[in-house]
Amino acid sequence: MHPALTARGKRRGLLWAALSCSCVFSQTELNFARMGGVVRIVNTDLAVLESPEHRNDLPCQVIQTKAELAFDLRFHGAYKVILPLKDISGSGDSLRVLMRITPLEKPENQLYLVDRFTVPPIEEDANGEASLPGGYTIGPGRYKVDWLMRDRAERVCSSHWEMDARLDPDNRELPLTMPPNTVAQRPQEPFSEQPPVARAASDQLLHVKILVNFSPTNPRESTLKPWDVDAIVSILRSIAREPQIGRFSLVAFNMQEERVIYREDNVDRIDFPALGEAVSAIKLGTVDFRKLQDPLSGTRFLTGLLTEQLGPHQSPVPDAIIITGPKLMLDKRVPQDALKEAGRAKCPIFYLNYNFNPRTTPWRDAIGSALRVYKGLEYSITLPRDLGTAMADMMFRMSKK
């Protein structure tokens, strides 16, 4: 992640310089279990964290936002630090943030996180300010955050705040993926490796096939927006974290290139880094000339994909098939006669239809229309709670299969 340095200066040259530079960011967890269980923090830092005083040797403003539930069904706490550019100007600085996040009901689950920012060279007379984001992931509960930032000259800025992570009464049954009163690092990259998952007993594990659409809803757009990729991968991670699922078959496809970009068959975990490499290899903005000459090529590709992946000849036979991705709009619908002739799999079929803006595309898409033949069940996913409700319903139906 590269948080941008934004500036509000009077001179155009300085404004452009501030806007075009960036800080390199990284976050790590202080794992005291590897240090013999002893908290080893510099005494001066520990004193700042313990003191209720807000230090401002390094001038800064810390702005917190309330914890929000994301598509990974975890709460995300966030903040941003505003620093005057003149106070971090020079040949390049190094900023270190130390956070202590304490669940008030279970202080033994306290966690320390370290953020590091490498600041590029900034002119001495630069006007404007830098805005550096930060955050962490938490389960339901109430938390105390003790925060400090230190620069290379040992100047300190500190802040302290509390925050709540609570579900609305109507959403208390959502299958959240972090236990109450626990803390973790913020996600680093959408396709980073998934931590191990505690599964149910091996004789009860389910095998699901997942079809993932990595294509924008608008066929005129060449690629998905970053937040759409984050949402789709978070939906995929929620499926991968489900304790009752132990085997996965994955088919990822892209409609611009009209091809399967990645697949795994009957594996015990999804290889997210490999999937990320396949997604990043999609040739943005490139369309085969022959496809431009054939307006029905997309419909034919999707027809072939569905008849193969949702057809009766599955090996091994999955316990369920889950399709996910943005709405897929085609000029011509998939011919249902072709789907009926090919037949359907003898397992439940679910469609987690991610629709970021339902007002723009409220109508049924090509996959949703085809799902009638397969007697599949479609869920519209606009908000994280929609995903939680869909996951709970899917798992209930799979358990009753």
Side-chain angles (χ1 to χ4, degrees):
M1 183 178 294
H2 300 280
L5 289 173
T6 58
R8 295 194 296 268
K10 295 183 179 179
R11 288 178 291 175
R12 178 178 295 180
L14 292 178
L15 177 61
W16 172 254
L19 286 170
S20 62
C21 65
S22 64
C23 288
V24 178
F25 163 81
S26 66
Q27 184 178 76
T28 56
E29 173 188 334
L30 293 184
N31 190 331
F32 299 118
R34 297 175 184 171
M35 306 174 188
V38 179
V39 177
R40 297 175 181 173
I41 297 177
V42 177
N43 288 337
T44 51
D45 282 349
L46 194 57
V48 173
L49 294 180
E50 294 289 351
S51 171
E53 178 188 359
H54 289 252
R55 291 274 298 272
N56 210 26
D57 312 341
L58 174 64
C60 80
Q61 179 186 7
V62 183
I63 303 172
Q64 310 93 34
T65 60
K66 70 175 186 177
E68 297 284 355
L69 185 66
F71 277 103
D72 58 1
L73 298 180
R74 299 181 173 200
F75 285 98
H76 292 252
Y79 67 88
K80 66 178 177 180
V81 189
I82 308 297
L83 298 125
L85 287 178
K86 63 181 181 180
D87 287 298
I88 54 173
S89 62
S91 59
D93 204 341
S94 176
L95 303 173
R96 181 177 64 90
V97 170
L98 176 63
M99 282 182 287
R100 182 177 64 189
I101 307 168
T102 307
L104 295 182
E105 293 183 15
K106 284 196 174 182
E108 64 271 22
N109 290 344
Q110 179 182 90
L111 188 73
Y112 288 80
L113 296 174
V114 177
D115 292 345
R116 291 182 174 84
F117 298 90
T118 301
V119 182
I122 299 174
E123 295 180 14
E124 296 287 347
D125 58 347
N127 291 327
E129 58 193 21
S131 177
L132 306 178
Y136 38 86
T137 309
I138 51 179
R142 185 165 180 81
Y143 298 82
K144 171 77 181 301
V145 180
D146 301 297
W147 180 98
L148 74 84
M149 172 180 280
R150 189 181 293 275
D151 70 357
R152 193 173 290 164
E154 297 299 319
R155 295 179 299 171
V156 172
C157 171
S158 70
S159 186
H160 311 270
W161 65 90
E162 292 186 2
M163 71 162 39
D164 259 324
R166 303 287 183 190
L167 288 172
D168 296 332
D170 294 340
N171 299 317
R172 285 178 180 167
E173 300 303 317
L174 292 183
L176 300 182
T177 55
M178 274 191 71
N181 303 303
T182 55
V183 189
Q185 289 179 248
R186 63 187 294 186
Q188 298 298 304
E189 296 292 341
F191 294 99
S192 59
E193 186 65 76
Q194 174 129 328
V197 176
R199 304 289 180 189
S202 58
D203 60 341
Q204 301 174 0
L205 293 179
L206 301 171
H207 172 210
V208 298
K209 173 185 276 190
I210 310 170
L211 275 65
V212 190
N213 171 27
F214 282 100
S215 315
T217 296
N218 186 346
R220 295 181 181 86
E221 296 178 354
S222 60
T223 183
L224 285 166
K225 300 292 189 296
W227 53 85
D228 290 330
V229 174
D230 287 347
I232 294 167
V233 176
S234 292
I235 291 172
L236 189 57
R237 286 188 186 277
S238 292
I239 299 170
R241 289 193 191 102
E242 176 51 52
Q244 293 181 332
I245 302 175
R247 307 296 298 178
F248 305 88
S249 294
L250 178 68
V251 178
F253 63 96
N254 174 262
M255 289 302 299
Q256 273 69 23
E257 296 187 5
E258 295 178 13
R259 69 180 181 91
V260 171
I261 61 171
Y262 182 78
R263 71 180 301 154
E264 293 181 294
D265 294 307
N266 196 24
V267 297
D268 60 4
R269 67 175 184 85
I270 296 173
D271 190 338
F272 282 96
L275 175 61
E277 290 180 10
V279 172
S280 64
I282 296 172
K283 298 177 181 177
L284 306 181
T286 302
V287 181
D288 192 310
F289 178 74
R290 290 171 295 180
K291 295 173 184 175
L292 291 175
Q293 298 295 101
D294 181 4
L296 298 182
S297 64
T299 301
R300 274 196 291 272
F301 168 76
L302 185 60
T303 302
L305 182 72
L306 295 179
T307 54
E308 178 185 358
Q309 302 301 332
L310 307 186
H313 306 296
Q314 305 282 331
S315 181
V317 178
D319 294 291
I321 299 175
I322 303 173
I323 310 169
T324 190
K327 281 200 169 186
L328 182 55
M329 312 308 296
L330 297 176
D331 292 333
K332 187 173 178 60
R333 291 185 177 182
V334 173
Q336 297 202 354
D337 289 344
L339 303 180
K340 292 177 181 177
E341 183 179 349
R344 64 184 181 90
K346 296 179 180 179
C347 66
I349 298 175
F350 306 103
Y351 183 21
L352 299 176
N353 186 330
Y354 168 66
N355 190 6
F356 175 72
N357 192 346
R359 291 185 179 180
T360 303
T361 51
W363 41 84
R364 177 165 279 174
D365 72 334
I367 296 177
S369 297
L371 220 60
R372 295 174 178 175
V373 174
Y374 298 103
K375 300 180 180 179
L377 188 59
E378 181 176 356
Y379 305 88
S380 182
I381 309 297
T382 299
L383 299 172
R385 66 169 177 264
D386 300 329
L387 175 61
T389 302
M391 286 294 300
D393 188 63
M394 282 197 309
M395 295 312 303
F396 173 78
R397 291 173 184 272
M398 284 189 229
S399 66
K400 298 296 182 181
K401 176 177 175 290

